[in-house]
Amino acid sequence: MLDARFVRENINMLKKALEKRNYDIDLSGFLSLEEERLALLKETEELRNKRNTVSEEIGKMKRQGLNADALVAEMKGVSDRIKEIDEKLKGIEEKTGQFLLNIPNIPHESVPVGKDETENVEVRKWGEPRTFDFTPLNHWDIAETLDIIDFERGAKIAGARFAVMKGAGARLERALMNLMLDMNTSKGYKEIFPPILVNRESMTGTGQLPKFEAELFRVADPEFYLIPTAEVPVTNIHRDEILREEQLPIYYTAYTPCFRREAGSYGKDVRGLIRQHQFNKVELVKFTRPEDSYNELEKLTADAEAILQKLQLPYRVIVLCTGDMGFSSAKTYDIEVWLPGQNRYREISSCSNFEDFQARRANIRFKREGKKGTEFVHTLNGSGLAIGRTLVAVLENYQQKDGTVVVPEALRPYMGIDVIK
RNA sequence: GGAGGGGUGGCUGAGCGGUUUAAAGCGGCGGUCUUGAAAACCGUUGUAGGGCAACCUACCGGGGGUUCGAAUCCCUCCCCCUCCGCCA
């Protein structure tokens, strides 16, 4: 969310930013609403001031046994007027609040301008895609032969976009989770295991609500939302808190299952593990001082990359252009891993700096040493990494001609075997 | 699921319709004293919005109501604690 005063004072800059992001939002109504709101605010505050002083006076008179009926009658009128104005204010604030909640973040100046994903820019590449002396298979074919992922039974038990992991498949899922958490915690990230059902306030705090309700699973009674990413519960750990400067930066890492409706993705990635309603992910979350956040974004991205390097999986890093960025983000790097079965790079991690966008919504502030007042922290997060997609990458990159899969060196202590057969 | 108790400033904890602009203590910060520290003593101590200076307004779990006036009374929702029941 952007600050109302900021929007008021930077309306032209905001217009340009929205154009770059392909957002068509009419800003003209906002300014007049704000004008009305501030005028009403001034009026009600003046009336309250009058009521406060006169009410005190009435109290004094009554204690002295004097008659205060005239003042009481007058204040009755003042109170009615206050009520009337507050009613109007509430209506206006409802409108401006909704308006602000639906404005996306402003892209950082270093983000390339572009209309959609075709204009994202590659930043770097790591590793050489392996050359095969046979035609590499898709992971679902590999998995079927090895009997380690069961899509049919996943569909029977739950539905489309669900899978059952079996034997070495289940073990591989767990091995990846442990490797990632071990690597992240060794770099100073504190391990968190949060609730995966959360309330409405938390979803609003990180920006999923109110705009993206259709992409979430919801439990009806009592009402909860299933998290689409650990970003939600972990960022909300510090909702409505004032942190001390010396606590920053805070690094958290969390494994959680993630749940996504994938509404509107019909026909996309219908086969395999790439796009599931339920998937596992290890997440990295940071809270930083504003002046540190872009440096921390580079470090966070590098920490996610380190896992792919450890697994010897080729990847590239791209910076998302203004037209392809997420709603809450000011800058996003996607890490894409090489998938021989699809002969292309696929997203395996998304690392973003939200600046103070989430912090303002979730009211996460900090106090500088020896300075008056508070400031919003900057929040960042990134996958480190999506486990299901990493498993796909391992299967496809380490497959052999005979249908078996070599276990990457780094995973052997966790798997207890060298080859999945 | 049943019964009861409770949510007040960084923490503990009073207040239960108008000298409370939220008492007191602890903690924090500044000062006096001291070679230094501790103790003692004095002062200070939240957040947000509006004017951006004095100042004003709001905030005692959230929302609504009664009243000239609400932390205090009423309604409603949420959360926490204790006991019973059930149960990983």
Side-chain angles (χ1 to χ4, degrees):
Chain A
M1 174 164 65
L2 301 175
D3 180 56
R5 179 198 283 258
F6 174 86
V7 173
R8 253 186 273 148
E9 292 172 359
N10 297 278
I11 197 90
N12 288 322
M13 188 267 259
L14 182 60
K15 262 183 200 154
K16 281 183 198 142
L18 290 176
E19 273 167 34
K20 281 199 256 176
R21 296 199 54 149
N22 297 335
Y23 268 83
D24 186 23
I25 296 176
D26 182 17
L27 297 172
S28 59
F30 181 76
L31 284 184
S32 56
L33 275 177
E34 273 292 284
E35 212 170 289
E36 194 182 352
R37 186 178 73 85
L38 290 180
L40 288 172
L41 196 63
K42 189 165 180 235
E43 191 181 352
T44 185
E45 285 192 356
E46 278 165 3
L47 288 173
R48 276 169 201 275
N49 179 232
K50 184 172 185 190
R51 186 177 70 182
N52 286 347
T53 41
V54 175
S55 287
E56 199 175 326
E57 196 61 32
I58 292 171
K60 273 185 201 155
M61 288 171 75
K62 290 213 164 174
R63 258 175 281 130
Q64 290 166 10
L66 299 172
N67 185 309
D69 289 354
L71 284 179
V72 168
E74 191 194 341
M75 285 309 105
K76 172 97 180 130
V78 171
S79 271
D80 288 346
R81 176 69 185 141
I82 290 174
K83 213 171 272 184
E84 207 177 293
I85 295 171
D86 284 354
E87 205 72 17
K88 263 196 222 167
L89 264 179
K90 231 175 104 182
I92 292 172
E93 278 166 2
E94 175 68 27
K95 276 188 211 159
T96 55
Q98 282 305 312
F99 184 85
L100 290 171
L101 281 175
N102 283 293
I103 296 179
N105 204 353
I106 295 169
H108 186 252
E109 58 191 11
S110 68
V111 173
V113 177
K115 61 178 191 315
D116 57 32
E117 69 275 6
T118 61
E119 297 190 54
N120 294 336
V121 175
E122 184 176 299
V123 176
R124 59 184 165 269
K125 241 180 192 155
W126 186 92
E128 271 303 313
R130 176 183 153 200
T131 48
F132 290 83
D133 55 3
F134 60 95
T135 308
L137 298 174
N138 270 308
H139 67 277
W140 56 81
D141 290 327
I142 302 167
E144 191 182 3
T145 310
L146 294 170
D147 193 29
I148 56 174
I149 308 176
D150 193 332
F151 292 102
E152 276 182 32
R153 292 208 176 88
K156 175 172 73 177
I157 297 166
R161 296 202 191 284
F162 287 94
V164 180
M165 311 297 292
K166 303 196 291 195
R171 180 69 181 252
L172 183 53
E173 186 90 10
R174 177 158 61 94
L176 286 167
M177 181 199 304
N178 282 327
L179 172 76
M180 291 175 193
L181 285 172
D182 287 348
M183 284 185 69
N184 295 341
T185 51
S186 78
K187 287 176 182 159
Y189 292 85
K190 181 184 264 191
E191 187 168 342
I192 302 287
F193 188 64
I196 60 178
L197 296 180
V198 301
N199 56 32
R200 207 180 162 80
E201 290 72 40
S202 293
M203 283 295 183
T204 307
T206 34
Q208 282 72 26
L209 289 178
K211 205 169 161 48
F212 303 103
E213 176 116 35
E215 296 179 18
L216 300 171
F217 283 108
R218 189 169 55 126
V219 177
D221 185 26
E223 186 180 83
F224 288 110
Y225 290 88
L226 277 71
I227 59 168
T229 158
E231 161 192 348
V232 176
V234 175
T235 305
N236 275 282
I237 286 174
H238 295 297
R239 172 150 54 86
D240 292 322
E241 290 185 11
I242 299 174
L243 304 165
R244 294 185 317 269
E245 184 179 12
E246 65 264 28
Q247 287 178 269
L248 301 174
I250 295 171
Y251 288 15
Y252 290 137
T253 185
Y255 151 75
T256 67
C258 303
F259 303 91
R260 296 186 185 176
R261 290 268 289 275
E262 296 296 348
S265 70
Y266 304 109
K268 243 193 237 173
D269 302 312
V270 287
R271 293 202 69 182
L273 221 50
I274 292 289
R275 196 175 297 274
Q276 297 274 292
H277 283 312
Q278 174 187 333
F279 63 96
N280 291 318
K281 182 158 60 65
V282 171
E283 186 77 1
L284 303 167
V285 176
K286 289 185 178 183
F287 302 81
T288 77
R289 297 187 304 179
E291 63 268 36
D292 301 328
S293 66
Y294 279 94
N295 186 34
E296 292 287 352
L297 175 63
E298 298 301 321
K299 282 164 65 185
L300 185 145
T301 308
D303 290 338
E305 288 174 57
I307 296 164
L308 290 173
Q309 292 173 13
K310 185 97 174 171
L311 291 168
Q312 295 284 305
L313 293 168
Y315 66 85
R316 62 173 189 170
V317 178
I318 59 174
V319 58
L320 299 190
C321 72
T322 52
D324 195 34
M325 291 169 62
F327 176 78
S328 304
S329 176
K331 182 171 187 175
T332 299
Y333 290 114
D334 272 8
I335 303 174
E336 299 184 332
V337 70
W338 176 253
L339 295 184
Q342 299 191 13
N343 197 37
R344 57 180 283 214
Y345 287 97
R346 288 302 301 259
E347 178 188 341
I348 197 165
S349 173
S350 192
C351 302
S352 301
N353 183 1
F354 303 95
E355 297 189 359
D356 63 3
F357 189 85
Q358 291 181 328
R360 182 172 284 109
R361 285 179 165 238
N363 195 25
I364 307 169
R365 292 166 292 170
F366 79 104
K367 208 181 183 69
R368 283 192 202 267
E369 200 63 48
K371 258 196 155 179
K372 253 187 103 67
T374 60
E375 293 173 51
F376 289 109
V377 301
H378 280 196
T379 62
L380 301 84
N381 68 55
S383 346
L385 304 164
I387 296 172
R389 290 188 179 182
T390 310
L391 187 142
V392 166
V394 168
L395 293 183
E396 294 196 6
N397 281 281
Y398 283 87
Q399 61 180 302
Q400 304 187 94
K401 201 168 187 173
D402 63 359
T404 63
V405 172
V406 173
V407 174
E409 199 87 42
L411 286 175
R412 289 181 194 167
Y414 296 95
M415 287 293 287
I417 52 172
D418 296 350
V419 180
I420 302 172
K421 41 185 148 192

